[in-house]
């Protein structure tokens, strides 16, 4: 069957496509940073609790912050999802339908994971060690499953040639397991989560050290900074291997774009390699601030590469230039006003939360 026959006609958009493409990358970067913090800190706190007897201050600190991070990650995920539906709706709606059962289950898993994370925070002091591990571990497991579901959907939407598999499995249980890029892509995101989670832990405890909030003892603060940077550096080094696997799994015609056949693709890729080397160096030398700046630039570069790869995958079927633009000034003006209002409110709430924590007296005991 010709895959072109399975691709729906795209809807018109209310403004130039390139504007939404830039917004997609910006929104996705904010979202993925929060997701990485969410998954990474959960994994690190869980493993540290299994390996170290003195990990309680770290676990408690992560337990306090996780509910807020999850809420922000979910809410900031709405914007990129809406924009990708606007630009690539004819692809993502089909892929979501093909794996409809898993896609809907992801929502339920997210609700259950958040419930466990919130309960883990509220009952942390009275839960036994075993129950703490259960609630945090089950939440982390569900988040990892959700990530695998998302990776399936994002790869399935890029490959209309695999859509005829629906006629063999029209029950909504279709997964994109035959795609060579699925597993390295998924691991690339999950290992990145551990790296960013480790860096976030190092940033938090560095802030505690600078503001004098060392109620857990100076040695504990320094230990958690080193622990966070250790996870960050190790995961970043692992990313080099997984990233190479991911790169080699790409179709040859797309891989060649980054190997010299396209100046833009190759330049972005080489710039990323330089940032990886720089980031690893800052991780090894435990330079928290420089590592944070470097990895932020690296993530921005990786998101641009992701955008270029998506464009190359869909190029035989569609380009954003193909979309019909029907200018709608009123709705777009409302969009910008609402966006500015929401971002202002989020910034205000985060400032209030931070100032409240600064003014609160250190916990006793």
């Amino acid at each position: 069957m010709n895959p072109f026959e399975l691709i729906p006609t795209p809807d018109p958009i209310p403004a130039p496509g390139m504007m939404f493409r830039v917004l997609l990358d910006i929104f996705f970067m904010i979202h993925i940073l929060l997701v990485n913090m969410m998954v990474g800190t959960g994994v690190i706190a869980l493993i540290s609790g299994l390996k170290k007897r003195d990990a309680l201050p770290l676990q408690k600190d992560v337990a306090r912050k996780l509910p807020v991070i999850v809420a922000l990650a979910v809410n900031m995920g709405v914007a990129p999802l809406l924009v990708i539906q606007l630009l690539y709706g004819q692809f993502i709606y089909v892929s979501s339908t093909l794996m409809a059962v898993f896609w809907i289950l992801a929502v339920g898993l997210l609700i259950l994971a958040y419930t466990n994370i919130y309960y883990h925070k509220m009952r942390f002091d009275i839960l036994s060690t075993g129950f703490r591990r259960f609630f945090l571990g089950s939440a982390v497991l569900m988040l990892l499953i959700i990530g695998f579901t998302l990776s399936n959907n994002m790869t399935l939407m890029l490959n209309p040639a695999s859509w005829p598999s629906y006629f063999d499995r029209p029950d909504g249980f279709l997964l994109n397991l035959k795609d060579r890029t699925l597993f390295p892509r998924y691991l690339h995101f999950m290992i990145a989560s551990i790296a960013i989670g480790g860096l976030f832990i190092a940033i938090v405890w560095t802030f505690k050290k600078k503001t004098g909030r060392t109620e857990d003892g100076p040695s504990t603060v320094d230990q958690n900074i080193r622990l966070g940077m250790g996870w960050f550096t190790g995961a970043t080094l692992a990313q080099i291997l997984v990233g190479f696997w991911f790169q080699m799994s790409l179709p040859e015609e797309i891989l060649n774009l980054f190997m010299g056949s396209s100046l833009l693709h190759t330049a972005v890729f080489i710039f990323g390699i330089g940032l990886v080397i720089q980031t690893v160096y800052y991780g090894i030398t435990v330079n928290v601030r420089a590592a944070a700046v470097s990895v932020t630039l690296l993530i921005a570069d990786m998101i641009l590469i992701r955008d270029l790869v998506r464009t190359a995958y869909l190029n035989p079927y569609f380009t954003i230039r193909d979309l019909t633009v029907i200018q709608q000034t009123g709705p777009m003006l409302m969009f910008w006003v609402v966006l500015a209002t929401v971002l202002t409110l989020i910034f205000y709430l985060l400032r209030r939360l931070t100032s409240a924590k600064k003014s609160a007296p250190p916990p006793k005991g």
Side-chain angles (χ1 to χ4, degrees):
M1 177 175 287
N2 187 349
F4 285 91
E5 299 175 356
L6 301 176
I7 302 174
T9 302
D11 294 325
I13 57 176
M18 281 306 299
M19 183 191 77
F20 288 113
R21 187 173 173 180
V22 172
L23 283 175
L24 175 59
D25 287 344
I26 294 173
F27 289 150
F28 181 73
M29 181 167 179
I30 297 171
H31 170 63
I32 201 63
L33 278 169
L34 290 166
V35 169
N36 287 343
M37 292 178 198
M38 173 182 73
V39 176
T41 54
V43 170
I44 293 170
L46 181 64
I47 295 176
S48 297
L50 294 173
K51 295 174 62 178
K52 296 177 177 289
R53 293 184 178 180
D54 56 350
L56 192 61
L58 171 65
Q59 290 178 296
K60 190 169 186 175
D61 189 70
V62 169
R64 288 172 179 168
K65 292 177 172 57
L66 263 182
V68 176
I69 297 173
V70 173
L72 288 172
V74 172
N75 282 278
M76 294 308 298
V78 174
L81 182 60
L82 291 176
V83 177
I84 202 170
Q85 289 173 350
L86 183 70
L87 294 177
Y88 305 102
Q90 69 271 37
F91 297 98
I92 195 168
Y93 281 133
V94 174
S95 62
S96 300
T97 302
L98 296 179
M99 53 175 296
V101 174
F102 298 107
W103 194 238
I104 293 173
L105 283 176
V107 178
L109 286 176
L110 180 59
I111 294 171
L112 188 56
Y114 183 73
T115 302
N116 284 11
I117 286 170
Y118 194 79
Y119 189 83
H120 175 255
K121 173 201 171 182
M122 297 303 296
R123 300 289 182 178
F124 186 89
D125 290 325
I126 62 176
L127 286 173
S128 66
T129 301
F131 274 112
R132 285 180 196 150
R133 291 172 180 172
F134 169 76
F135 283 107
L136 180 59
S138 59
V140 167
L141 178 61
M142 285 183 275
L143 293 176
L144 293 175
I145 293 172
I146 293 169
F148 187 67
T149 303
L150 288 168
S151 292
N152 267 275
N153 201 353
M154 293 302 108
T155 54
L156 191 58
M157 70 165 277
L158 299 179
N159 190 13
S162 67
W163 292 358
S165 300
Y166 164 80
F167 297 102
D168 298 322
R169 293 219 63 171
D171 52 7
F173 281 92
L174 183 66
L175 290 175
N176 198 32
L177 300 178
K178 294 181 180 179
D179 193 314
R180 291 176 55 198
T181 66
L182 174 61
F183 290 102
R185 179 191 180 102
Y186 171 68
L187 288 176
H188 195 58
F189 278 102
M190 292 304 105
I191 295 175
S193 294
I194 295 174
I196 299 302
L199 180 61
F200 179 71
I201 288 170
I203 291 171
V204 167
W205 288 86
T206 298
F207 180 78
K208 286 175 179 285
K209 184 176 182 178
K210 289 185 177 180
T211 56
R213 297 184 64 82
T214 57
E215 59 272 6
D216 296 307
S219 61
T220 298
V221 173
D222 291 334
Q223 173 185 302
N224 286 332
I225 293 172
R226 291 194 302 270
L227 180 141
M229 291 304 289
W231 279 100
F232 170 73
T233 305
T236 304
L237 288 170
Q239 280 286 71
I240 297 174
L241 298 177
V242 176
F244 179 74
W245 178 20
F246 186 16
Q247 182 185 10
M248 292 299 103
S249 68
L250 293 171
E252 184 176 357
E253 63 274 13
I254 297 177
L255 174 62
N256 288 339
L257 293 173
F258 297 93
M259 295 291 104
S261 65
S262 166
L263 179 60
L264 172 62
H265 293 66
T266 305
V268 172
F269 177 63
I270 292 175
F271 183 64
I273 292 176
L275 286 172
V276 169
I277 296 171
Q278 176 180 269
T279 301
V280 170
Y281 170 76
Y282 289 137
I284 292 173
T285 57
V286 196
N287 190 332
V288 178
R289 177 179 294 183
V293 173
S294 184
V295 81
T296 301
L297 293 174
L298 178 58
I299 291 171
D301 185 79
M302 291 295 105
I303 288 173
L304 180 56
I305 290 176
R306 180 178 184 268
D307 186 274
L308 294 172
V309 168
R310 178 176 56 230
T311 301
Y313 260 104
L314 296 178
N315 194 53
Y317 310 101
F318 161 85
T319 66
I320 290 179
R321 293 187 301 273
D322 298 334
L323 291 170
T324 301
V325 179
I326 300 178
Q327 199 73 38
Q328 296 182 351
T329 305
M332 287 307 302
L333 180 61
M334 179 63 71
F335 165 78
W336 288 113
V337 170
V338 172
L339 177 63
T341 303
V342 170
L343 292 178
T344 302
L345 285 173
I346 291 174
F347 180 75
Y348 170 75
L349 291 173
L350 289 175
R351 285 290 300 271
R352 287 293 301 269
L353 181 65
T354 304
S355 61
K357 288 185 176 181
K358 284 182 180 178
S359 60
K364 297 179 181 180

